[in-house]
Amino acid sequence: MDDSMGSRGYHGIPGTPAVRGVVLRARVRGGGAGEVWAGRVVATGAECVVRRVRLPPDAAARDAAMRAAQVLLGLSHPHLLPVIDVVATAEGLAVVAEPVAGAISLGHLLETRDRLDPGEVVTVGLPVAQALAAAHAAGVVHGQLDPDDVLLEPNGRPVLAGVGVAGLAGASATPAVDVSDLASLLLAAMPQATGPDAAAVAVAVAPALVDDPVRRPTAEDLVAALAHSATPLPVRFVNNAVTPLPLPPLPPPPPGVDDAHAEPAERGPRPGPAARTTPRPIRAPRTTHGAAGASTPPASTPRAVTTRTYAPRTSTLGGPAAGGEPAAAFAGPRRIWAVVAVLAVIVVLTVSGLLVLVRSGPQRARPLDASPAARVSPEQVWRDVIVGLDNARNQAFEQADEAGIAGVDAPGSTAYARDVALIRQIGALGGHAVGLHQEILDLVIRETGSEKSVLRITYRRLPYTYVDKAGTVLARQPGHDRLQSDVTLVRTEQGWRVATQVDAVA
C-alpha cells in the first residue's frame, strides 16, 4: 500500500494531512473512532466528510485494514451514511463519506435540550437499530457508538455514521456490544422521564443491558421491541434552522499548480452505487459535520485554543543553553566557587527530600504520575482507581442509591445510563443487591492520557443476590471465574469516572 501520491498536488490549508484526491478544509471532530474533517473531492468538487484512521506502521496490518474497509463501500441502507471511498494515507486510512445536508448530531441536540420525549427516542432509535441490523448482516459492527454518530436531518430523520471505523483502528467489538451501546444511548437521551411511554421504552431496551452478551437481543429484536413500545413523535429542534459553521476559504494553489488539474480525476474517490455516478451539485454554504456528518456548534462559540510561547532556553549559569560565550561573571575562580555552591545546594535538597519521604511515609500516586522513582507501577495505580470505583458502585447497588452512581460513572455517559437503569429496575421490585464483589485478576493499559484512559480488565465476580426490604431473595445471580472488559475512564472535576464498559473480545 503506497501513499506517495498523497504528497502531490493541492491539499487546501497548509499543514493539513494529505489525503489523495481530497482537499481537507476543516477539522471538525477529534478523538473517538477516527479524526473527522470536512473536505472537498478534487475530481468532482463535491463536499465530503473524511475520517482519518491511524494505523501502526505495519504493511500487513494496513493491507488487512484496507481489505476490511472495502466492505464499507458495499454497505447500503437508508439510515447508514454512504461511504464513497477508502484511501491509503501516510498515517493509515481515510474513509470518505457523503455529508448529511443540514444535519445536527444527537449529541449536539442533547446539549441544547434536557432530554428527548419517549416518542422521539423511538423515532431516533428504531431506524438506527435497523441500520445496525443491516451492518451486522454484512459482517460489520460499529464498535464505538456514541451520540455524535447519530446524525439528524432537519426533518428529524436519523442517519448512522462511523460504522466499521473502530474496527479498522483495531478495536474489537461484537454485535452484542453495539446493541448494548445503542440501548444505553437511548436511555441516556431521556433521563428522569416518567409515565407509561417512558416505561414502555425502558422495558423495550432493558434486555440489551444484561451482563451476559449471549442473552442480549439482536439489533433486529431491538427494532421489534421499540416498534411495540411508544408511538413515534417528530424530533423537536430548539431552532428550526441549524447555523452552519463557515469553512475557511480555500487558499490559492502553490505557484505552478493548476487547481483544476492538481489531482487527475482517476485519482479521486471512486463513485458509489450507480445512482451516484453523476457528480452532485455543490451546495454553499453547507454545515460542517462531526462524526462523519454531525453538525458542529456555530462559529460564534469556537473552542478556545491556548498557545504557549516559549522563550529561548538559557543555561542556569546565565550563559546560552548551547553555544555562545560563557558569562564573564563565571570566569576563573569565581566560576569554580559557583559550581561548588550549586553542588552544595543539590546535596542539601537531596538530603532534605529523603528526610521528608521517610517522615511522610508511602504516598499513593495519582494516575498518570506513576514513575520508577515512585516505586509504583502505572498498572497498580490504575488498579487502585478501579477498586475504589467498584467499591462505590457496589455500595450504590446494595443501597439502591441512584445518586451514588454519580461517584462512579461520568454524567451523561453510557455507563451512567446503564447503571441508573439497572438500579431503577431493581427499585421497581422493592429490592437491592447483596454480596456484590469483583476481584481484579489482570489489568492492561491500552490507552492513557491526561483526560481519557482505556484499560482492559480481567476480573472474577462472586455470586450475588437481589433481596427485598424483608430480606426475601428476589433473584440469584451466578458468579463468573473470568470476565474481561474494556473500561474507558475520563477525568472530571470530581476525579476519574467510568464512561463506558464493554465486553472485551480477544
Side-chain angles (χ1 to χ4, degrees), residues 309-316 318-322:
T309 302
Y310 296 94
R313 263 193 317 147
T314 58
S315 88
T316 55

Side-chain angles (χ1 to χ4, degrees), residues 222-250:
L222 186 57
V223 170
L226 287 170
H228 291 87
S229 58
T231 302
L233 295 175
V235 177
R236 292 184 296 106
F237 295 99
V238 175
N239 298 314
N240 293 330
V242 179
T243 304
L245 177 65
L247 290 174
L250 290 175

Side-chain angles (χ1 to χ4, degrees), residues 2 14 18 55 101 107 118 135 137 174 294 323 349 358 361 368 392 400 410 414 433 444 452 458 460 466 482:
D2 180 31
L55 299 175
T174 64
L349 291 177
V358 171
L368 306 176
T414 55
V444 177
K452 170 186 171 184
T458 304
R460 177 188 296 117
Y466 292 123
R482 186 179 178 85

Side-chain angles (χ1 to χ4, degrees), residues 196-449:
D197 286 346
V201 174
V203 169
V205 304
L209 300 174
V210 298
D211 290 337
D212 187 357
V214 177
R215 295 169 51 206
R216 294 174 192 163
T218 65
E220 290 183 348
D221 295 334
L222 186 57
V223 170
L226 287 170
H228 291 87
S229 58
T231 302
L233 295 175
V235 177
R236 292 184 296 106
F237 295 99
V238 175
N239 298 314
N240 293 330
V242 179
T243 304
L245 177 65
L247 290 174
L250 290 175
V257 177
D258 183 0
D259 185 23
H261 302 88
E263 289 282 357
E266 60 270 22
R267 293 182 185 173
R270 296 184 297 274
R276 295 197 297 271
T277 55
T278 303
R280 293 173 179 256
I282 301 178
R283 304 176 179 88
R286 295 285 291 271
T287 304
T288 54
H289 308 288
S295 60
T296 57
S300 57
T301 57
R303 182 175 297 178
V305 178
T306 303
T307 303
R308 296 182 180 179
T309 302
Y310 296 94
R313 263 193 317 147
T314 58
S315 88
T316 55
L317 299 181
E325 295 294 332
F330 293 95
R334 297 180 62 185
R335 181 174 183 179
I336 297 175
W337 281 111
V339 172
V340 171
V342 170
L343 290 175
V345 171
I346 292 175
V347 171
V348 172
L349 291 177
T350 302
V351 174
S352 301
L354 290 174
L355 290 174
V356 170
L357 288 176
V358 171
R359 292 173 181 172
S360 61
Q363 300 292 322
R364 175 172 295 178
R366 296 181 180 179
L368 306 176
D369 294 337
S371 65
R375 300 183 183 274
V376 179
S377 68
E379 287 78 9
Q380 183 59 51
V381 174
W382 283 117
R383 184 186 291 259
D384 292 344
V385 172
I386 292 297
V387 169
L389 292 174
D390 275 346
N391 290 340
R393 183 178 186 271
N394 295 344
Q395 182 177 355
F397 272 84
E398 291 183 349
Q399 297 177 355
D401 178 18
E402 181 178 322
I405 296 301
V408 182
D409 300 328
S413 66
T414 55
Y416 181 85
R418 178 180 303 179
D419 283 347
V420 168
L422 290 175
I423 284 185
R424 290 178 179 176
Q425 184 179 3
I426 300 168
L429 301 175
H432 61 277
V434 173
L436 276 174
H437 179 72
Q438 293 80 236
E439 177 185 352
I440 297 178
L441 303 177
D442 188 34
L443 184 148
V444 177
I445 301 174
R446 306 197 66 182
E447 177 185 338
T448 184

Side-chain angles (χ1 to χ4, degrees), residues 12 96 140 192 206 299 327 438 440 464 504:
V96 185
V140 179
Q192 310 298 329
Q438 293 80 236
I440 297 178
Y464 60 99

